[in-house]
């Protein structure tokens, strides 16, 4: 977007003073059409966040990111360490999806969907408004001495912030270790699981620090996505934008005066009321043009529309628009860049769906025991020793497991008390097996065998191994 000649504002952060100290932002309480839309979107996403770890699909937690055990559930699909490539593809799809929407609509993810914004603006900030009042009341409370009123309001606010941070930390932990395990830990008491209690308290402290003190600086300083948008945006991207051509006119902005013909005097529609600045949660002036600090929350759109309506001027001085739309009145178009991102997204999504459909619920791995060759037994039988590992990705036990050879007349002997065993749900079974084949059936010193895995005489998986034998045969 076009910016003023003096761009010194880009050399500093709006939340810091010239001395480098923290400049606290006291945004005005937003209201308006877009804010109402954002509230409903936030309610849905908050309900989703709080319930997702406790929703089960086919016995699998809807969302789980167990990093320590390298087990992940995404929309009810379980991903084991052996499925790491599927998890990577899923993450790539998510990144490209966000990049696609950033190219098209700027930082809309930050203003409407990002958990940081939703919790900050729709939970913690609204508690702050309820206890301390709107912008002016908060600023007066901040300036006054620590009397009974300030201690009571601040103390109660910080207590609620701590309680909510503790709740968020518990839900966050449910995403990491699983909701079933978390509920068991809660029932058994915190002291029985001190190793889990410590991370829980650390998470609580981090969330409290972020929402009670660090706040908008997460979006301005810490979040890498804000820097990424500088690479992804172009003059065709739809962002929250100030229409400088209409707002500045020929002679710039001017305070509003009743019955004044602003158009005849050459002044723009911006009356320099600073309400768009006062309502901004990151403390920027949207009239300076596109800035990395803008999270596209639309608070300035609602506030400006309210001012325009009150002075009988057209709405939309600040609106969703691209640079081309403001400069050349061009409408949004599906550019080659967007087509490229969309094509990659469709290809990766198709690839993921195909791989998920082809993935088995049981994965079998049979490997030769390291350092072992073969053993010649009586009756011309050649024996090889292997280790096996069966991974059950379902939420049901798989009973009566046994192995069979395909295409060879041989036997498989499992080193176990029983010939048949089971694989526990979302667990594994492993052990050692001997494969014995008549020497006359071997074609070379290295023979590829197909091993079939059965459950209750139903074929559930196949795998291959190399079987070693003597170098020459009769």
């Amino acid at each position: 977007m076009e910016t003023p000649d003096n761009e010194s504002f880009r050399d500093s952060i709006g939340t810091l003073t010239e001395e480098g100290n923290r400049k606290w932002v006291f945004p005005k309480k937003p209201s308006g059409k877009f804010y109402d839309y954002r509230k409903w979107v936030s309610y849905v996403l908050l309900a989703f966040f709080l319930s997702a770890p406790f929703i089960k699909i086919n016995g699998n937690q809807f969302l789980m990111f167990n990093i320590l055990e390298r087990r992940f559930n995404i929309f009810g699909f379980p991903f084991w360490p052996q499925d790491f490539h599927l998890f990577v593809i899923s993450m790539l799809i998510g990144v490209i999806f966000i990049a696609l929407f950033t190219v098209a609509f700027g930082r809309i993810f930050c203003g409407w969907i990002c958990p940081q914004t939703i919790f900050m603006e729709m939970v913690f900030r609204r508690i702050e408004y309820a206890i301390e009042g709107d912008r002016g009341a908060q600023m007066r409370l901040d300036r006054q001495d620590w009397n009974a009123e300030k201690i009571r309001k601040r103390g109660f606010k910080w207590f609620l912030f701590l309680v909510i941070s503790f709740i968020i930390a518990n839900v966050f932990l449910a995403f990491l270790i699983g909701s079933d395990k978390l509920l068991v830990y809660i029932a058994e008491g915190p002291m029985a699981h001190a190793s889990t209690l410590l991370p829980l308290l650390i998470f609580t402290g981090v969330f409290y620090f972020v929402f009670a003190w660090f706040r908008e600086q997460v979006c301005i300083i810490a979040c890498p996505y804000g820097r990424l948008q500088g690479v992804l945006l172009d003059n065709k991207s739809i962002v929250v934008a100030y229409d400088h051509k209409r707002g500045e006119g020929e002679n710039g902005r001017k305070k509003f005066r009743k019955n004044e013909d602003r158009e005849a005097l050459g002044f723009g529609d911006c009356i320099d009321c600073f309400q768009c600045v006062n309502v901004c949660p990151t403390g920027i002036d949207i009239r300076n043009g596109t800035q990395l600090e803008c999270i596209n929350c639309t608070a300035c759109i609602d506030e400006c529309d309210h001012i325009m309506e009150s002075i009988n001027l057209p709405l939309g001085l600040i609106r969703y628009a691209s640079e081309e739309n403001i400069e050349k009145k061009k409408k949004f178009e599906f550019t080659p860049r967007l087509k490229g991102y969309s094509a990659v997204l469709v290809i990766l999504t198709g690839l993921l769906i195909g791989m998920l459909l082809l993935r088995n619920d049981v994965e079998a791995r049979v490997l030769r025991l390291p350092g072992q060759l073969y053993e010649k037994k009586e009756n011309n039988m050649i024996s090889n020793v292997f280790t096996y590992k069966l991974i059950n990705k379902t939420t049901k036990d798989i009973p009566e497991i046994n192995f069979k050879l395909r295409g060879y007349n041989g036997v498989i002997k499992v080193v176990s008390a029983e010939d048949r065993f089971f694989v526990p749900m979302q667990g594994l079974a492993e052990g050692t097996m001997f494969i014995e084949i008549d020497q006359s059936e071997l074609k070379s010193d290295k023979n590829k065998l197909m091993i079939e895995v059965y459950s209750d005489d139903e074929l559930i998986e196949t795998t291959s191994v190399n079987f070693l034998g003597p170098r020459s045969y009769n």
Side-chain angles (χ1 to χ4, degrees):
M1 296 297 171
E2 184 175 308
T3 55
D5 294 335
N6 181 12
E7 293 197 0
S8 59
F9 70 94
R10 297 194 186 277
D11 299 328
S12 61
I13 297 175
T15 55
L16 294 179
T17 64
E18 293 181 359
E19 294 77 21
N21 298 322
R22 172 74 181 276
K23 181 181 178 182
W24 203 264
V25 176
F26 295 98
K28 181 181 178 182
K29 185 177 181 180
S31 62
K33 177 181 67 175
F34 282 105
Y35 185 65
D36 291 338
Y37 292 157
R38 285 178 59 218
K39 281 195 294 187
W40 285 109
V41 171
S42 299
Y43 295 153
V44 171
L45 292 176
L46 283 170
F48 174 78
F49 172 80
L50 295 173
S51 62
F54 305 96
I55 297 174
K56 299 282 183 73
I57 295 180
N58 295 326
N60 295 312
Q61 185 170 310
F62 189 67
L63 285 177
M64 184 177 71
F65 305 92
N66 192 332
I67 299 173
L68 295 178
E69 298 179 8
R70 293 183 296 168
R71 288 175 55 191
F72 306 92
N73 289 352
I74 299 179
F75 304 136
F77 287 100
F79 294 88
W80 287 67
Q82 293 77 13
D83 300 320
F84 188 70
H85 59 292
L86 298 176
F87 179 74
V88 170
I89 294 175
S90 300
M91 293 298 100
L92 284 175
I93 289 173
V95 170
I96 293 174
F97 185 79
I98 292 175
L100 172 64
F101 270 80
T102 303
V103 172
F105 303 110
R107 209 170 171 178
I108 192 172
F109 172 83
C110 298
W112 290 78
I113 303 175
C114 176
Q116 160 69 18
T117 302
I118 289 173
F119 278 109
M120 186 69 251
E121 302 302 322
M122 298 299 174
V123 178
F124 290 90
R125 194 87 78 181
R126 294 183 70 179
I127 290 174
E128 202 163 55
Y129 290 136
I131 296 174
E132 297 184 355
D134 209 340
R135 170 183 165 83
Q138 290 182 25
M139 294 175 73
R140 288 192 296 272
L141 184 69
D142 186 65
R143 287 193 299 265
Q144 73 184 45
D145 295 331
W146 282 92
N147 54 21
E149 179 193 15
K150 186 170 183 176
I151 292 173
R152 183 181 70 255
K153 288 184 176 180
R154 288 285 173 88
F156 184 48
K157 180 185 76 172
W158 290 337
F159 171 74
L160 289 180
F161 281 9
L162 187 61
V163 171
I164 296 173
S165 297
F166 181 72
I167 294 172
I168 296 173
N170 274 274
V171 177
F172 184 71
L173 197 62
F175 280 103
L176 296 181
I177 66 174
S179 57
D180 292 340
K181 189 178 291 187
L182 177 68
L183 294 175
V184 170
Y185 287 177
I186 292 174
E188 294 178 353
M191 302 318 298
H193 302 281
S195 60
T196 304
L197 177 62
L198 180 60
L200 178 63
L201 295 178
I202 292 174
F203 289 147
T204 301
V206 169
F207 290 128
Y208 181 78
F209 169 76
V210 167
F211 295 116
W213 190 84
F214 206 51
R215 313 183 80 146
E216 71 283 340
Q217 298 206 99
V218 172
C219 307
I220 297 173
I221 300 173
C223 181
Y225 181 54
R227 302 295 175 262
L228 180 64
Q229 79 160 346
V231 179
L232 295 175
L233 291 183
D234 57 27
N235 60 1
K236 297 178 177 62
S237 301
I238 305 287
V239 296
V240 173
Y242 167 67
D243 189 341
H244 61 89
K245 298 189 76 173
R246 175 188 153 193
E248 304 296 316
E250 293 180 3
N251 297 323
R253 312 162 190 162
K254 186 180 185 298
K255 295 289 184 181
F256 176 74
R257 287 187 180 179
K258 195 173 182 180
N259 299 323
E260 182 179 59
D261 190 345
R262 299 177 65 88
E263 186 176 356
L265 295 172
F267 293 109
D269 286 355
C270 178
I271 63 172
D272 219 14
C273 63
F274 278 91
Q275 293 307 302
C276 60
V277 180
N278 293 339
V279 80
C280 179
T282 58
I284 66 169
D285 189 341
I286 192 64
R287 297 172 300 176
N288 288 329
T290 302
Q291 298 156 71
L292 296 180
E293 294 91 339
C294 178
I295 60 171
N296 283 203
C297 70
T298 70
C300 56
I301 296 180
D302 283 331
E303 198 64 26
C304 187
D305 282 350
H306 175 71
I307 296 296
M308 292 294 106
E309 188 176 32
S310 65
I311 61 175
N312 295 318
L313 287 175
L315 307 183
L317 180 59
I318 302 176
R319 63 182 186 274
Y320 274 118
S322 66
E323 183 176 346
E324 278 197 345
N325 177 253
I326 290 175
E327 295 286 352
K328 305 175 183 178
K329 303 300 181 184
K330 280 191 174 183
K331 294 184 178 181
F332 176 78
E333 60 181 21
F334 201 58
T335 64
R337 191 179 180 197
L338 289 174
K339 292 176 182 177
Y341 279 114
S342 301
V344 174
L345 187 64
V346 169
I347 292 171
L348 286 177
T349 303
L351 179 64
L352 178 64
I353 292 173
M355 296 177 81
L356 286 174
L357 293 175
L358 293 174
R359 190 186 70 155
N360 289 337
D361 291 333
V362 178
E363 183 171 323
R365 287 192 177 184
V366 179
L367 301 173
R368 181 183 314 284
L369 193 65
Q372 299 293 320
L373 294 176
Y374 65 89
E375 180 181 359
K376 190 170 184 179
K377 295 191 171 183
E378 58 186 26
N379 298 324
N380 287 325
M381 298 296 288
I382 305 298
S383 175
N384 283 201
V385 59
F386 299 88
T387 59
Y388 66 86
K389 180 182 289 186
L390 301 178
I391 301 170
N392 180 1
K393 301 175 184 177
T394 70
T395 55
K396 297 180 180 179
D397 293 340
I398 299 179
E400 296 295 312
I401 296 292
N402 69 311
F403 300 95
K404 295 181 181 179
L405 282 176
R406 179 190 295 176
Y408 282 89
N409 184 20
V411 294
I412 298 178
K413 298 180 180 179
V414 177
V415 181
S416 173
E418 301 177 357
D419 290 337
R420 292 172 177 253
F421 55 93
F422 80 100
V423 187
M425 62 177 184
Q426 294 189 343
L428 60 87
E430 54 186 341
T432 305
M433 65 166 64
F434 290 91
I435 299 179
E436 297 182 0
I437 301 176
D438 193 299
Q439 182 175 339
S440 62
E441 293 198 26
L442 302 178
K443 305 296 187 296
S444 66
D445 59 339
K446 184 180 289 187
N447 303 267
K448 187 174 183 179
L449 306 182
M450 295 299 297
I451 299 177
E452 299 175 336
V453 185
Y454 286 83
S455 171
D456 282 332
D457 297 324
E458 177 188 353
L459 180 65
I460 59 174
E461 175 67 316
T462 60
T463 186
S464 62
V465 296
N466 286 322
F467 187 89
L468 300 184
R471 290 185 178 275
S472 58
Y473 306 94
N474 297 325

